[in-house]
Amino acid sequence: RGLEPFEQMAKATYVSKPTRDRPCPMNKCEEIPRGGCEHVLPGGNPGLPQGYVVRKVIRIEDSEKWVKYAEAREAIKNARGDQYGKWAEKAEPGLLTSQVVEDH
């Protein structure tokens, strides 16, 4: 299996969408318009990255922080009652990671 699940996750979550926070790679556009400058549009020069490449995956584990996270998540779940998790069903577009997580 190796990197395959992570490669699938990267592929499933990549969205070709230019944004204002991406600087002009040509240093020609002083003000970046909404939706990105002409150099980072799909088909532009040099354009947008076309995806991600997973080179290495490193496992970092902090069991104390995980326990705190799990406890906080449970507290939120209990406080929200029946509404917990309903936002994920309504997310538009749907959560891009869901199918990859289910597959692995």
Side-chain angles (χ1 to χ4, degrees), residues 5 8 17 21 31 47 54-55 58 60 69 77 81-82 89:
Q8 289 177 3
K17 183 176 183 178
D21 62 342
E31 188 168 323
V54 177
R55 302 272 186 214
I58 300 171
I60 299 174
Y69 163 76
K77 183 177 179 181
D82 291 342
E89 296 168 10

Side-chain angles (χ1 to χ4, degrees), residues 4-6 8-10 12 96-104:
E4 183 183 342
F6 300 98
Q8 289 177 3
M9 185 73 72
L96 301 175
T97 56
S98 297
Q99 188 60 52
V100 178
V101 171
E102 286 177 26
D103 291 348
H104 294 281

Side-chain angles (χ1 to χ4, degrees), residues 65-99:
K65 284 192 178 185
W66 180 258
V67 168
K68 287 180 183 179
Y69 163 76
E71 289 171 348
R73 183 184 62 201
E74 191 65 25
I76 292 168
K77 183 177 179 181
N78 291 336
R80 291 191 177 170
D82 291 342
Q83 295 302 310
Y84 183 78
K86 301 260 181 182
W87 64 271
E89 296 168 10
K90 298 176 184 176
E92 285 294 331
L95 300 180
L96 301 175
T97 56
S98 297
Q99 188 60 52

Side-chain angles (χ1 to χ4, degrees), residues 20-85:
R20 286 182 86 169
D21 62 342
R22 184 182 295 273
C24 177
M26 308 295 279
N27 292 322
K28 292 183 178 180
C29 302
E30 290 185 29
E31 188 168 323
I32 308 297
R34 183 179 177 98
C37 80
E38 63 184 277
H39 301 105
V40 294
L41 297 177
N45 182 17
L48 280 173
Q50 296 180 1
Y52 303 111
V53 176
V54 177
R55 302 272 186 214
K56 188 176 186 179
V57 176
I58 300 171
R59 179 179 176 158
I60 299 174
E61 186 175 319
D62 185 334
S63 56
E64 288 179 26
K65 284 192 178 185
W66 180 258
V67 168
K68 287 180 183 179
Y69 163 76
E71 289 171 348
R73 183 184 62 201
E74 191 65 25
I76 292 168
K77 183 177 179 181
N78 291 336
R80 291 191 177 170
D82 291 342
Q83 295 302 310
Y84 183 78

